[in-house]
Amino acid sequence: MRTWFPAQYFLVALTLASCSPSAAPPSGTPPNAMAPTPLPASQIPQFVDPLPLLAVAGGTIETITAPSATLSMCEFKATVMPSTFAPTSSTYSGTYVWGYRNGSTCPGSGTPLSTYIGPVLVSTRGTPTEIQYINSLPNTAASRLSAWKTSTDQTLSWADPLNSEANRCAGAVVENQPPYGGCASNYAGPVPTIPHLHGGEVPPVLDGGPDAWFTSDGTYRGHSYYSKAGTVPNGAIYRYPNKQEAAPLWFHDHALGVTRLNVYAGLAGIYLITDPALTLPAGLHPIGLRQGAGGSIDHVTPLVIQDRMFDTTGQLYFPNMGPNPEHPFWMMEFFGDTNVVNGKVWPYLNVEARRYRFLLINGSNARTYELSLSGQPLWQIATDGGYLDKPVRLGKLTVMPGERADIMIDFSGLAGQTLILENHGRTPFPNGAPPDAATAGRILQFRVGPSTLAGADASYNLAQGDALRPPMRRLVNPATGMLTVAPSKTRQLTLNDMMGSGGMGMVRLLINNTKASGTRADGTARTDFTAVTVGGVTEYMSEASAEGETEVWEIVNLTADAHPIHIHLTPVQVLNRQRIDLGMYKMAYDMAFPSGASMFGDGPPLTYLPSAASGSKHGGNPDIQPYLDGPIQLPEINEAGWKDTVIAYPGQVTRIAVRFAPTDTAAGVARNYSFDPDAGGHGFVWHCHILDHEDNDMMRPYKITAARGAARTYVMGVDY
């Protein structure tokens, strides 16, 4: 296994940032692949236009509260760039984007929309929400989105619609050798998409897994495709149960091998689950703040933060020169130089000198944000999985891709001031280069005016620190970093990367040294993995968990990056973290392989089942215990809640408690999901949420064994 050091990351980042459109494209690249010229972020005006807001708050982001909807995935123009932006060679009339639109038709070619973000769906716990998703995107040839057309890479393991998912190009990859023939070209065909409800407690067939995609022409479908009866050929109907606790979810595309491009194009929206049975403290409303009992509602303001690049005409730009010859168009990590919030480049927001509530989502491909606001505290009231027990005061908020943070900011006493939400997150995180303070280091400008309230602000008073909710069910005591329940098993799993010859080109990233398919590097199967066949395709799973049980997962990060680890279906609680002697552990790890040297892609070095060498842990890796370096580190104070995306820092073991049951289940109580978690024989996936990483195999399927005899009230073929 080769390691990529921070200095090498920085050097490659500089190389990519300075790539010239005149550089010779790889063999087979379409003629227009290198035509766009990147526009330096320093030439884009800042804080010119207002932040797009929810429609229910007088803005333009569609808000849907009905229990059913049709969402079309469309290509259209949006005014992403500032209104004062002036291209050098033409008139700016909008940026071509993709987005989810409410209804069965797509916007016309007339006036550009104000944003591509949305819609926001507000659902009620206990009341299902049925959505028909329609893929109305144009075929590749007809699309005007060059950032997508010229960046698909057929040498990855991906959806591969025109070849029946065969992935012959991926199978033909030779280390340090460029592909040839059609494999050296971008994909040309109908666009595959599949919406995933990120954070959703849903049956596996409604999860929007990477192999459940369907194409824009309605002709091709992935082997895991599923829909409730009655959908159109280029669509799928998902009826979400909404049985989980109130939480800020989001939905985005998850098609295998092109997630980074589909999300970059704009396929992302927000999904809020509210709980009418949850008694919130005075002044707090399920979708915002309230001015006293029965008073007016100040709706939550979403902040979907994404980094982007643009060309000189104001169109999306995505570098398509990969750092290694094996994958000519895949970028190991995309870092844009321009921040976009709610689909608008560097907007401003007029606020009054009072309290506000914001739902922050990191929707970027790879960028980690460390946010601060001119010395003002950021108060976090909810994490990915719902409300914290009490608000947490933060001077800095760290969010990796996929994470959400429900925060409040009190602007009282700041009338007349202008504040900038700043970013200090290094790229790659946490040891890379700091952001340019004048561009990537800026997010959003707040312009604070006087309060127009008739009296004092009667919304939820942060300073009093009143409980936000009844105490949540605890698997972990965050004050000690210790478990409060007895786990059924412990898994020790690694994060791995492989560099190409010369050490400068990332070839692939893996979870537990195992490809997504579960086969070895030579295509053979391990006897300690379980073969699971769905839709005629067999994958080999190693993580097979049982409904109702609690496990401890120890994520050992052997790479140079932090990775946001996202587990589908179930939120988790962070137990603790601990440094490891990375050099010594890697030596033991390599020597544990049968050959005495690392065998990248062959799975863990030991048998997956517990052994003396693994410390009686599942996972097949040498026991980390002798290589621990220093005391345990407690979870961050704003991690003391349910999380579905957890930061795994480099050179550390990150321990999480994972329970396969509804989050409000009491410890020691056997309670099952309302649905069969093994419905249709489908499983779920867990992966790194750096989109460029998950697109290149840093993802594993896992399976839940359903409890026998469990009563189900949400039945496949009946309810969904």
Side-chain angles (χ1 to χ4, degrees):
M1 177 175 46
R2 302 175 180 90
T3 301
W4 200 10
F5 295 100
Q8 293 172 310
Y9 272 117
F10 184 58
L11 179 58
V12 173
L14 290 176
T15 302
L16 292 170
S18 61
C19 64
S20 169
S22 63
S27 173
T29 304
N32 66 338
M34 300 303 295
T37 302
L39 175 69
S42 58
Q43 297 182 18
I44 302 176
Q46 297 181 5
F47 313 132
V48 173
D49 298 311
L51 176 77
L53 302 174
L54 296 178
V56 293
T60 56
I61 298 177
E62 294 176 299
T63 312
I64 300 174
T65 58
S68 64
T70 294
L71 297 185
S72 296
M73 292 168 262
C74 302
E75 180 170 303
F76 52 91
K77 281 186 176 182
T79 52
V80 182
M81 299 295 278
S83 56
T84 57
F85 170 68
T88 56
S89 58
S90 61
T91 301
Y92 177 69
S93 60
T95 300
Y96 283 102
V97 293
W98 294 352
Y100 299 105
R101 308 310 302 170
N102 186 14
S104 58
T105 59
C106 290
S109 57
T111 303
L113 301 183
S114 63
T115 180
Y116 59 81
I117 289 294
V120 173
L121 284 91
V122 181
S123 300
T124 302
R125 188 181 191 187
T127 301
T129 297
E130 181 170 298
I131 302 176
Q132 177 171 226
Y133 295 103
I134 301 177
N135 184 347
S136 296
L137 296 168
N139 283 2
T140 303
S143 174
R144 302 292 297 273
L145 201 71
S146 63
W148 196 93
K149 297 170 64 169
T150 63
S151 298
T152 54
D153 195 321
Q154 299 187 92
T155 66
L156 304 177
S157 295
W158 78 294
D160 201 14
L162 300 183
N163 295 297
S164 302
E165 305 177 273
N167 270 283
R168 296 184 182 91
C169 292
V173 167
V174 177
E175 184 177 354
N176 207 35
Q177 296 296 318
Y180 58 89
C183 296
S185 299
N186 299 118
Y187 168 72
V191 177
T193 63
I194 178 63
H196 163 57
L197 182 59
H198 184 125
E201 185 184 285
V202 298
V205 295
L206 304 185
D207 187 50
D211 295 311
W213 50 267
F214 48 95
T215 57
S216 51
D217 65 352
T219 303
Y220 308 97
R221 292 171 176 173
H223 66 269
S224 293
Y225 172 85
Y226 179 82
S227 173
K228 183 182 176 184
T231 190
V232 295
N234 59 326
I237 297 175
Y238 283 4
R239 188 169 184 259
Y240 301 124
N242 296 331
K243 293 286 189 178
Q244 66 200 88
E245 294 188 84
L249 314 183
W250 69 306
F251 58 100
H252 60 79
D253 196 77
H254 211 299
L256 185 67
V258 288
T259 299
R260 71 197 188 285
L261 303 177
N262 291 359
V263 174
Y264 187 79
L267 291 175
I270 302 172
Y271 191 102
L272 301 178
I273 296 182
T274 63
D275 184 357
L278 177 63
T279 301
L280 295 172
L284 198 60
H285 186 271
I287 55 171
L289 301 176
R290 186 188 289 278
Q291 289 298 317
S296 61
I297 299 171
D298 302 316
H299 289 93
V300 64
T301 300
L303 299 178
V304 182
I305 305 178
Q306 300 168 304
D307 60 338
R308 295 290 183 262
M309 293 180 70
F310 297 91
D311 66 21
T312 52
T313 68
Q315 300 305 310
L316 287 170
Y317 179 88
F318 196 91
N320 62 357
M321 292 183 65
N324 68 75
E326 294 97 319
H327 306 303
F329 306 109
W330 171 74
M331 288 280 298
M332 54 198 165
E333 288 177 341
F334 169 82
F335 299 118
D337 59 2
T338 305
N339 286 315
V340 175
V341 189
N342 292 359
K344 180 71 69 175
V345 168
W346 282 310
Y348 70 85
L349 178 64
N350 287 322
V351 296
E352 297 182 8
R354 55 192 177 103
R355 291 184 283 270
Y356 283 77
R357 182 177 176 183
F358 300 93
L359 172 55
L360 192 149
I361 300 174
N362 184 345
S364 298
N365 282 37
R367 183 178 292 278
T368 298
Y369 291 98
E370 286 187 337
L371 303 173
S372 67
L373 183 64
S374 304
Q376 300 300 314
L378 307 174
W379 293 84
Q380 186 164 352
I381 62 173
T383 57
D384 307 336
Y387 289 103
L388 292 163
D389 286 340
K390 290 187 177 182
V392 172
R393 177 178 173 141
L394 302 169
K396 178 182 69 176
L397 172 63
T398 301
V399 282
M400 291 200 80
E403 288 191 287
R404 286 89 68 208
D406 193 340
I407 65 173
M408 289 180 61
I409 301 175
D410 191 348
F411 295 99
S412 299
L414 302 177
Q417 296 189 33
T418 298
L419 310 177
I420 294 178
L421 185 64
E422 296 179 336
N423 166 44
H424 310 280
R426 291 174 173 265
T427 53
F429 187 76
N431 299 316
D436 184 336
T439 54
R442 292 181 167 189
I443 308 293
L444 172 69
Q445 184 188 71
F446 293 102
R447 301 175 181 178
V448 188
S451 173
T452 59
L453 296 173
D457 189 344
S459 65
Y460 177 67
N461 191 340
L462 294 158
Q464 292 181 358
D466 294 340
L468 294 161
R469 53 167 297 160
M472 71 181 69
R473 301 298 187 182
R474 290 284 179 193
L475 310 179
V476 170
N477 182 345
T480 63
M482 305 300 289
L483 287 168
T484 61
V485 298
S488 61
K489 61 176 63 73
T490 297
R491 303 182 192 271
Q492 183 183 291
L493 308 161
T494 60
L495 307 181
N496 311 77
D497 59 15
M498 177 182 178
M499 305 304 300
S501 298
M504 283 302 297
M506 182 76 72
V507 177
R508 178 178 285 175
L509 300 101
L510 299 177
I511 286 179
N512 214 31
N513 197 42
T514 305
K515 297 188 298 180
S517 64
T519 57
R520 297 181 187 272
D522 63 3
T524 60
R526 291 176 59 119
T527 58
D528 53 347
F529 287 3
T530 301
V532 176
T533 301
V534 173
V537 176
T538 299
E539 294 177 322
Y540 296 86
M541 299 190 183
S542 46
E543 285 74 62
S545 302
E547 183 180 14
E549 291 189 348
T550 299
E551 301 180 356
V552 171
W553 289 18
E554 299 184 341
I555 311 297
V556 182
N557 189 348
L558 304 181
T559 78
D561 272 13
H563 298 270
I565 299 301
H566 172 47
I567 301 176
H568 288 211
L569 173 66
T570 182
V572 305
Q573 290 183 10
V574 179
L575 183 58
N576 56 58
R577 297 180 176 90
Q578 200 165 5
R579 292 197 311 270
I580 60 177
D581 187 330
L582 193 57
M584 293 300 294
Y585 183 75
K586 281 186 175 181
M587 186 180 301
Y589 177 86
D590 290 350
M591 291 179 63
F593 283 91
S595 66
S598 176
M599 300 170 65
F600 188 80
D602 270 23
L606 309 173
T607 181
Y608 191 90
L609 295 175
S611 65
S614 71
S616 299
K617 301 170 186 175
H618 294 254
N621 298 294
D623 187 12
I624 197 69
Q625 187 68 30
Y627 306 96
L628 297 175
D629 182 16
I632 64 169
Q633 302 171 17
L634 300 179
E636 298 293 336
I637 54 174
N638 61 325
E639 289 183 310
W642 291 104
K643 296 278 295 169
D644 59 53
T645 308
V646 174
I647 303 175
Y649 288 94
Q652 294 187 15
V653 54
T654 299
R655 300 183 180 94
I656 56 177
V658 189
R659 182 174 58 180
F660 299 97
T663 56
D664 55 358
T665 303
V669 174
R671 182 180 166 208
N672 307 113
Y673 296 110
S674 62
F675 51 83
D676 181 353
D678 192 32
H682 292 231
F684 298 90
V685 294
W686 68 288
H687 58 88
C688 173
H689 213 279
I690 292 176
L691 305 184
D692 316 285
H693 292 183
E694 69 173 274
D695 270 354
N696 198 357
D697 247 7
M698 202 170 193
M699 177 160 52
R700 288 288 293 139
Y702 81 94
K703 195 170 181 65
I704 303 294
T705 300
R708 290 185 178 183
R712 309 292 183 187
T713 59
Y714 208 69
V715 180
M716 183 175 174
V718 177
D719 298 293
Y720 64 93

